[in-house]
Amino acid sequence: FNTIERIEFVEVPKAVNYGADALAGVINIITKKDIDQKLEVNANIQTETAGGQYELFDQGIYSPSVSVGYKINEKWFTPLTGRLYEFGGWQDEDFADEQGEFDWHPKQQLFGGWLTRYSTQDWEIFYRLDVMDELIENRGDLIIPDNGDEEYRFDEDYESKRFIHQLQSDLKLGNRISLNNLISYTDFE
């Protein structure tokens, strides 16, 4: 949220501008590419319950974030962002599983972003990197052996990593013509 400059709601078909899927309109989120002052620092903490279950860092949602924007000079700007999203899982209290199985699994997400932008009156170019690291934990069913051995379970961890690279350039050729180029590469595992 710290990197959003504005949000546009376009309620008509805009396939030419936004692609063939923009049939009924689009929600266009425009990120900041400049700041008014030399340095801008934002920090936020979001925390909320999941139903009636809440304990800081254990249940519910805990999500701190920070962003730092630095304007090197009138032509160069670079922001850096980071956010942790920690969800402790949720279990329906009316149908609680005595074995501790969650209806919504606990997950942890780490997000990071960096952008550097160079701009003049008629030309702008920027490189952007977005990173996500996610871990979803699935506690396995509790296994109670018939022979009296100790109870155990097999847990599953699902981990995802994503790197999105974007290079974009906007060139104004007079008052009526502009040339926009975008190259993007996503690495996901």
Side-chain angles (χ1 to χ4, degrees):
F1 295 119
N2 296 335
T3 62
I4 295 175
E5 179 180 304
R6 69 183 187 277
I7 299 174
E8 297 175 343
F9 296 91
V10 183
E11 297 181 15
V12 295
K14 285 286 196 176
V16 172
N17 293 348
Y18 299 102
D21 290 336
L23 228 32
V26 294
I27 298 172
N28 190 17
I29 300 173
I30 293 100
T31 56
K32 290 181 186 176
K33 294 182 186 66
D34 201 357
I35 55 176
D36 295 330
Q37 58 275 6
K38 185 107 173 142
L39 179 67
E40 180 180 275
V41 178
N42 290 305
N44 294 308
I45 295 178
Q46 172 193 348
T47 183
E48 62 187 75
T49 64
Q53 303 167 22
Y54 182 79
E55 282 182 36
L56 193 60
F57 306 116
D58 211 21
Q59 293 180 344
I61 295 172
Y62 174 73
S63 183
S65 66
V66 66
S67 69
V68 177
Y70 182 64
K71 190 173 193 172
I72 299 165
N73 56 39
E74 288 303 313
K75 294 183 178 181
W76 287 96
F77 169 67
T78 186
L80 180 65
T81 63
R83 181 166 66 97
L84 167 68
Y85 179 85
E86 190 86 42
F87 174 57
W90 179 78
Q91 184 181 63
D92 188 332
E93 294 169 351
D94 294 334
F95 303 99
D97 182 348
E98 294 173 11
Q99 299 175 6
E101 178 64 27
F102 287 99
D103 296 310
W104 294 349
H105 300 298
K107 80 173 156 182
Q108 180 186 68
Q109 295 174 316
L110 294 168
F111 298 94
W114 174 68
L115 178 135
T116 188
R117 179 188 62 87
Y118 175 81
S119 65
T120 64
Q121 185 174 349
D122 296 327
W123 184 55
E124 173 182 68
I125 187 167
F126 65 86
Y127 168 76
R128 178 178 176 162
L129 172 65
D130 290 306
V131 178
M132 183 204 67
D133 183 47
E134 176 181 61
L135 175 66
I136 299 174
E137 301 172 23
N138 179 14
R139 293 178 63 188
D141 292 334
L142 187 62
I143 300 170
I144 304 169
D146 291 336
N147 61 5
D149 284 348
E150 192 172 327
E151 302 170 345
Y152 63 95
R153 68 175 76 230
F154 292 105
D155 296 341
E156 298 172 322
D157 289 344
Y158 300 94
E159 188 171 2
S160 303
K161 294 181 186 299
R162 182 174 63 214
F163 295 87
I164 302 173
H165 305 270
Q166 178 183 342
L167 181 63
Q168 185 170 338
S169 173
D170 299 315
L171 176 64
K172 294 178 185 170
L173 303 170
N175 293 335
R176 301 180 69 190
I177 300 174
S178 66
L179 180 62
N180 306 89
N181 296 297
L182 172 66
I183 298 170
S184 182
Y185 174 75
T186 300
D187 181 24
F188 178 80
E189 72 178 66

